[in-house]
Amino acid sequence: MDLPGSIHDFLIVFMGSGLILGSLGVVLFTSPIFCAFSLGLVLIYISLFYILANSHFVAFAQLLIYVGAINILVIDSVMFMNDLEYDKIFHRWTVGDGITSLVCTSLFVSLTIIILIASWYGINWTTKLNQILEQDLINTSQRIGIHLSTNFFLSVELISIILLVALIGATAVARQ
Amino acid sequence: MDSIKYFTFSMIIFISGIRGILLNRRNILIMSMSIESMLLAVNSNFLVFSVSSDDMMGQSFALLVPTVAAAESAIGLAIFVITFRVRGTIAVESINSIQGSGPFSLGERIRFELS
């Protein structure tokens, strides 16, 4: 999306803050329904991120699949399990929780250092010759369609079959 | 495109997903939501690299990842619903039906160490 730099940065920071709050909500809320709604918020903000990054097709596909299907499925499951016990008492930290926090903090610090140090703009990407020709002729959605029907044809077919089998299996299991 | 900001946010989502898996041992539903957020972070990285290199392979792959996530969610949630119907709880400790009972199984080792 071609926005002025300051507005683009403001939108990134605003939506990033929403993303961080939503992901913390998924982890820290004790009630599963609040976690499910936080997950929905994260998924919507990620789609808006994708729109900012000029990937409109993937953004709307993500809204349909993740928010419209997966999140609704999660919320329905939480409603089926309506007598879930909540952690109302304060869960005291154990040694395992301390080690987990240490591991996550060290991972966070190391990944932050890697992201800041790596020269992302200095990487030379190798592109095929015909891709350079394609860029001027067709838009993003058509290019994605060409890739899905040529390079990813087998992957798409296999994943479709996997999804079909998984959904039929889940329905059969849940009916019992 | 400022890739560093996108990488930072996806990294934070990924680590919060890891934290959610390791923290929420009492509720497997929240663990599955944390796994979803990890998949989301990885998907976001695919897309950011794809856009910054102007290559459609990453965006095509980013369309296939939610499909796999949908399949995994459907199966997982069906199992959780059945488990809750049978056992009345979805605490991770109670989902141990496939635990082995031999001398070298994990369950036996944990019981031995705790006793």
Side-chain angles (χ1 to χ4, degrees), chain B:
Chain B
M1 179 186 143
D2 197 358
S3 309
I4 291 175
K5 291 195 182 93
Y6 287 96
F7 293 146
T8 308
F9 289 126
S10 68
M11 181 257 296
I12 290 172
I13 295 170
F14 187 79
I15 290 178
S16 64
I18 292 176
R19 188 82 177 88
I21 289 170
L22 298 173
L23 185 66
N24 287 299
R25 294 302 182 89
R26 297 193 176 272
N27 198 332
I28 202 165
L29 202 58
I30 299 176
M31 282 174 76
S32 75
M33 287 188 227
S34 303
I35 291 170
E36 293 296 325
S37 62
M38 287 170 71
L39 280 172
L40 194 72
V42 168
N43 206 24
S44 169
N45 270 348
F46 271 122
L47 197 106
V48 169
F49 276 117
S50 165
V51 171
S52 61
S53 66
D54 201 19
D55 186 3
M56 286 298 120
M57 300 287 269
Q59 290 196 37
S60 308
F61 203 82
L63 280 174
L64 300 177
V65 168
T67 316
V68 175
E72 163 242 324
S73 293
I75 294 174
L77 292 169
I79 291 172
F80 301 156
V81 168
I82 292 291
T83 305
F84 183 76
R85 216 184 282 169
V86 169
R87 296 189 180 224
T89 176
I90 52 169
V92 178
E93 294 89 13
S94 70
I95 303 173
N96 57 357
S97 313
I98 58 173
Q99 175 183 293
S101 58
F104 300 110
S105 70
L106 184 62
E108 283 296 321
R109 270 186 264 148
I110 290 172
R111 249 179 266 144
F112 177 73
E113 279 160 28
L114 286 175
S115 62

